[in-house]
Amino acid sequence: MEFSKKLQQLPSQFFASLAQKVNTAIAEGRDIINLGQGNPDQPTPSHIIEALQEAAENPLTHKYPPFRGITELREAAAAFYMREYGVTIDPQTEVAIVGGTKIGLVELPLAIMNPGDMMLLPDPGYPDYLSGVALADVQFATMPLLPENKFLPDYDALSEDIKEQAKLLYINYPNNPTGAIATYDFFKETVAFAKKHHIAVAHDFAYGAIGFDGKKPISFLQVEGAKDVGIEFYTLSKTFNMAGWRVGFAVGNAKMIEAIQLLQDHLFCSLFPAVQHAAAHALSTEQNAVEQLRATYESRRNVLVEEAAKIGWQVKAPAGSFFAWLPVPQNYTSEQFTDLLLNKADVAVANGKGFGEFGEGYVRVGLLVSEERLREAMQRIAALGIFHK
Ligand SMILES: Cc1ncc(COP(=O)(O)O)c(C=O)c1O
């Protein structure tokens, strides 16, 4: 039996080989400091776990859920957007519940594009966007995220051809992997660009809760007219350390939401209702744990940046997300530097090239270990003698 052509055209998982190298090193008994992954290291707050336990005791949650999720969660998502961003969302028509936003991001091209259509993706960017490209059999053009543009795409730099062909645009701020945040003006420009060229927009707001230096990341939907052109994906994975629970939602443009719902009617039967009840609870109750988590990441970021400076590694502090995007030293490619750190310092980082061509020259470091481990990682890197004060 052969796999379908569609499966054969799926992109290979760039980071699978890193994970394998790290696992091999750990199996050899080496003490690897793993800064390569994006998995939150803290547990889900206990009040959310209790809400799950309570809901799971109720036999009603053992039945099939409604296809489009429980009303309570759709209402909680809408109320969350009003409370956090002042954005009005209709829980009936403007919310789609997804089993993790990865699913939503991968299924959207399938829901609103035809084979051969063109989409615009950031480079560097979250690699899973390419899975949606392959499954929907669409083409894509990249928008380079450059340090001189504060890692925001420059729409003017796209060719007229590409602008005319594009049907869907993905953006993501706070950004994985660069740690950049978006400005209100940039989102305004995005809405104008999308309207002018009839492009649908999906803003991936996975790191929406994680902004530093007193700046709360803004929602794309806060900009006037955003709902006319697009949606935003919000995940509970990062905000509430619920990555394993697989729950998120899309909010915004009713037509795009309906397209996602329709596709999902055929693919899924929504999520375990107890998870949905717990997710509604997480969105609706006190957010102290979220603030604590944000402060933890900020403090780790400060340690990383200070320790890097001490060893002579000049790095820019990320403004949000739980990643830092660090330049590799001269005379190394990202891959060579990644391999060197793993083989000689027992420190795993993600090769920037895995996020796209414009990731060359960088490595991504996750702020997902303790401050002590971050300090130790920097000391191990200093001992290589590559950086000079
Ligand atoms: C930029 C970005 N978008 C989306 C996701 C997917 O998150 P989830 O599927 O857990 O909602 C991730 C996860 O790492 C991410 O980094």
Side-chain angles (χ1 to χ4, degrees), residues 69-302:
I70 66 170
T71 307
E72 185 191 344
L73 178 52
R74 276 187 279 110
E75 286 178 351
F80 177 82
Y81 260 72
M82 176 48 76
R83 190 189 72 219
E84 295 292 324
Y85 305 110
V87 171
T88 306
I89 296 290
D90 178 346
Q92 294 310 320
T93 58
E94 294 179 340
V95 183
I97 295 163
V98 293
T101 51
K102 170 177 171 160
I103 289 186
L105 289 157
V106 171
E107 67 196 357
L108 184 59
L110 208 55
I112 63 166
M113 297 174 87
N114 291 309
D117 284 351
M118 169 74 70
M119 79 182 280
L120 297 173
L121 293 175
D123 179 352
Y126 178 54
D128 291 12
Y129 299 149
L130 294 172
S131 310
V133 165
L135 285 176
D137 224 346
V138 296
Q139 312 175 59
F140 70 100
T142 54
M143 305 176 294
L145 305 186
L146 305 172
E148 55 269 33
N149 296 334
K150 302 197 163 119
F151 297 110
L152 299 170
D154 176 3
Y155 299 127
D156 291 338
L158 294 168
S159 76
E160 287 306 316
D161 247 20
I162 297 284
K163 283 191 243 188
E164 285 319 308
Q165 282 180 57
K167 294 242 167 89
L168 177 62
L169 158 72
Y170 276 8
I171 44 176
N172 158 231
Y173 294 95
N175 183 254
N176 175 11
T178 66
I181 56 170
T183 57
Y184 190 83
D185 282 349
F186 167 70
F187 280 156
K188 243 168 84 176
E189 191 192 332
T190 302
V191 170
F193 172 70
K195 285 196 170 173
K196 180 162 179 211
H197 298 283
H198 306 287
I199 301 173
V201 178
H203 178 232
D204 177 357
F205 205 26
Y207 299 91
I210 313 170
F212 303 140
D213 308 311
K215 285 196 193 137
K216 181 179 163 96
I218 52 174
S219 158
F220 174 64
L221 300 178
Q222 280 173 268
V223 172
E224 207 188 314
K227 239 202 260 178
D228 299 339
V229 295
I231 59 173
E232 185 157 86
F233 284 101
Y234 197 95
T235 177
L236 281 79
S237 297
K238 326 282 175 177
T239 309
F240 304 103
N241 291 322
M242 291 170 71
W245 298 51
R246 312 310 304 131
V247 55
F249 54 89
V251 278
N253 184 275
K255 195 104 191 258
M256 290 170 77
I257 293 293
E258 176 57 27
I260 292 175
Q261 303 275 39
L262 186 58
L263 178 60
Q264 295 206 141
D265 288 347
H266 292 266
L267 285 173
F268 309 110
C269 187
S270 198
L271 318 178
F272 177 29
V275 165
Q276 297 193 53
H277 283 291
H281 169 85
L283 293 167
S284 315
T285 50
E286 48 84 10
Q287 306 285 300
N288 295 347
V290 181
E291 172 47 27
Q292 268 169 30
L293 183 68
R294 195 207 58 73
T296 300
Y297 291 136
E298 179 156 353
S299 177
R300 289 177 181 173
R301 176 205 68 162
N302 294 344

Side-chain angles (χ1 to χ4, degrees), residues 331-345:
N331 306 325
Y332 287 89
T333 64
S334 294
E335 183 177 8
Q336 287 165 343
F337 188 59
T338 305
D339 284 346
L340 178 80
L341 294 191
L342 183 61
N343 297 334
K344 298 279 193 287

